[in-house]
Amino acid sequence: MNLITAVTKRHRLAALTPVAACLVVLQIIELGLALTGAGQEIRGSGTYRPGVMGRLGVVAAGRHFAAQAGMQMLARGGNAVDAGVASTLAAAVTEISHFGLGGEVPIILYLADRNEVVVISGQGTAPAAASVETFRREGVIPSNGPSAGTAPAVVDAVSIALAEFGTLSLGDVLAPAISLADGFPW
């Protein structure tokens, strides 16, 4: 059974010629495209996040507050590390539902002047009592709770990045986060 026969039987169009049946099928397809919006011009959707534009560089972040903090560092003459640290600290204030200073932040930097990749772990260290012997004695490696956690490493990792590879002071990169901590529109 071909498509025309299937359509004509299903819609009781048996009295139509094959050409008329093809026109009906095409109209059905056209109606479906119109209803789904297919074939129309693709347009960007509106957003609740304002665009933050700059001519000095690019900063990508979860919310515009963090992106703006990074752009402020670039506007002050800072480098990408300064912008990244400022963005991370601002995110710790404005994105508390899924981000914070009590977490982890692996950092990978490409140093163009040295043609070198540098990694700052930012993964935190395990508690001193978390040894192989302890886990053997307990018979399990815990997946949650205090014995499964690591010491938070965000502050340490961004401090190392800033001290080793940044150009601005800690006070400079903290300024946007401090300002946001005084209040920001949710």
Side-chain angles (χ1 to χ4, degrees):
M1 175 182 307
N2 64 30
L3 176 63
I4 294 171
T5 307
V7 169
T8 56
K9 282 186 175 182
R10 186 169 185 185
H11 297 285
R12 306 205 188 286
L13 301 175
L16 296 176
T17 65
V19 172
C22 283
L23 290 174
V24 169
V25 169
L26 289 175
Q27 286 180 338
I28 291 170
I29 292 171
E30 184 178 319
L31 177 63
L33 291 175
L35 292 176
T36 62
Q40 295 179 358
E41 179 183 332
I42 298 173
R43 295 181 187 170
S45 63
T47 180
Y48 293 108
R49 297 179 182 185
V52 179
M53 303 210 183
R55 295 182 180 175
L56 302 170
V58 175
V59 177
R63 296 200 62 201
H64 64 281
F65 300 116
Q68 187 173 22
M71 288 305 299
Q72 288 173 359
M73 297 307 105
L74 296 178
R76 292 183 70 152
N79 64 17
V81 172
D82 300 317
V85 171
S87 294
T88 300
L89 296 171
V93 174
T94 61
E95 301 178 37
I96 58 173
S97 63
H98 59 277
F99 182 83
L101 296 178
E104 300 175 332
V105 59
I107 300 172
I108 302 173
L109 303 172
Y110 172 69
L111 307 174
D113 59 337
R114 300 185 202 174
N115 193 28
E116 180 182 356
V117 175
V118 174
V119 175
I120 300 171
S121 174
Q123 294 302 119
T125 57
S131 66
V132 173
E133 294 78 31
T134 300
F135 295 136
R136 278 195 184 128
R137 188 173 51 251
E138 293 179 10
V140 66
I141 298 175
S143 60
N144 58 25
S147 297
T150 61
V154 173
V155 174
D156 189 42
V158 298
S159 297
I160 290 170
L162 185 64
E164 295 292 324
F165 307 107
T167 59
L168 299 177
S169 71
L170 180 60
D172 290 336
V173 298
L174 272 171
I178 291 169
S179 177
L180 289 165
D182 287 334
F184 60 92
W186 187 249

